Amino acid sequence: MARIYPLFSSSKGNSIYIGTKTEGILIDDGVSFSRLKNALELNGLSADSIKAVFVTHEHSDHIKGLSILTKKIKAPVFARGLTLEYLLKSGSVNGELREMVNGEDVCGMAVECFRTPHDARESCGYKVSFSDGKTAAVCTDLGHVTEEIEAALLGTSCVLLESNYDVEMLRNGAYPYYLKMRILSGDGHLSNIDSGKFAAKLVKSGTEKIILGHLSQENNRPEIAESTVVSYLSEFNRNADYLLSVAPVETSGGFVAV
């Protein structure tokens, strides 16, 4: 059975493993190799289990560990065109780079990408389809939910969905004005409220499991994100119609079975 392991999930570092105990893929690597290796081992995984890395975009909290990781393991790195160009020019990868093509097969898992509105060169999320018909997706770093995202994710079995900030915490917080406006923009990040609205659409479409991720450590709290999203799911029965959890900033061991 495939699993999704949220190893790291915050504004300071992101990395998600999807697969089985023996083989799978990594979505982003925004932490040091030592931290990633420790997180994998806490979950009974090894770096050699990673058969490919898929990059969502070039911001440092998603790629800063790639250089060392790709020296340690022989796994190809996939990205969309402009992101791929950046990775090449910046020397961020010490190994094979491939342009992302929908339907890419890794370990019997079919991977496809969908565009996300974010202030990056060519930001995207990823959806993975398994041989048993189950699907999982990682959808973070988006200022709003587009029709393309809805089309890609409605009905997905398990979704790791951004719930980055509480609007009032952000507006009243210490961030400079320009940064607040960047986060609040349509190319910024998804608020708890917008995450809750999309979560309701997902559950209505048949999504069974939602993991809230990429929470800001300055402008959010896990309990606030969770309660806000749950408030938008009031027409459904939690633990019957859906399961909801919050990805930790750094894993202490734990996964969600897809």
Side-chain angles (χ1 to χ4, degrees):
M1 177 183 291
R3 300 168 172 178
I4 180 168
Y5 295 81
L7 302 175
F8 297 90
S9 187
S10 76
S11 296
K12 295 179 179 176
N14 296 274
S15 192
I16 313 297
Y17 178 89
I18 301 175
T20 66
K21 282 278 191 179
T22 56
E23 56 184 14
I25 64 172
L26 201 67
I27 308 292
D28 291 332
D29 181 18
V31 300
S32 69
F33 182 75
S34 61
R35 291 180 67 198
L36 179 67
K37 183 173 180 288
N38 182 62
L40 289 166
E41 289 174 351
L42 282 172
N43 287 280
L45 303 165
S46 74
D48 290 334
S49 302
I50 301 168
K51 304 307 180 186
V53 182
F54 291 81
V55 176
T56 59
H57 64 293
E58 76 280 2
H59 290 167
S60 64
D61 58 320
H62 294 261
I63 69 164
K64 65 184 175 185
L66 278 177
S67 177
I68 301 301
L69 176 65
T70 50
K71 282 183 178 179
K72 299 287 187 179
I73 65 170
K74 301 299 181 185
V77 175
F78 293 86
R80 294 184 69 206
L82 295 179
T83 305
L84 185 76
E85 182 179 294
Y86 174 86
L87 295 175
L88 281 167
K89 288 183 177 178
S90 64
S92 300
V93 174
N94 290 292
E96 183 181 2
L97 269 167
R98 299 184 192 172
E99 185 163 7
M100 178 62 198
V101 176
N102 277 346
E104 192 69 50
D105 186 280
V106 181
C107 311
M109 300 182 292
V111 185
E112 57 186 292
C113 66
F114 50 90
R115 292 177 295 179
T116 50
H118 192 52
D119 56 354
R121 287 166 176 80
E122 202 167 5
S123 183
C124 70
Y126 290 99
K127 181 177 177 179
V128 184
S129 299
F130 307 97
S131 58
D132 62 359
K134 296 285 189 179
T135 49
V138 174
C139 183
T140 65
D141 297 81
L142 63 157
H144 66 284
V145 177
T146 64
E147 290 182 0
E148 179 179 344
I149 292 170
E150 287 196 3
L153 296 192
L154 292 180
T156 300
S157 308
C158 177
V159 178
L160 191 151
L161 177 65
E162 180 168 58
S163 193
N164 183 257
Y165 63 94
D166 174 80
V167 174
E168 291 307 310
M169 286 183 70
L170 176 61
R171 290 191 183 279
N172 297 320
Y175 277 10
Y177 179 78
Y178 81 88
L179 184 54
K180 292 179 181 181
M181 291 301 100
R182 171 189 171 253
I183 293 168
L184 287 163
S185 78
D187 291 324
H189 290 280
L190 206 64
S191 71
N192 295 337
I193 291 171
D194 288 335
S195 184
K197 290 177 180 177
F198 187 43
K201 289 185 177 182
L202 287 170
V203 174
K204 188 172 291 185
S205 75
T207 299
E208 301 166 339
K209 299 170 184 177
I210 296 173
I211 307 166
L212 303 181
H214 209 295
L215 274 67
S216 167
Q217 291 171 273
E218 289 76 21
N219 302 304
N220 211 352
R221 297 287 182 274
E223 63 274 15
I224 294 175
E226 183 175 358
S227 63
T228 302
V229 171
V230 167
S231 72
Y232 283 90
L233 296 170
S234 58
E235 65 181 289
F236 308 103
N237 294 316
R238 187 173 183 177
N239 300 323
D241 296 324
Y242 70 94
L243 298 175
L244 179 73
S245 58
V246 179
V249 173
E250 183 169 352
T251 184
S252 57
F255 63 86
V256 173
V258 178

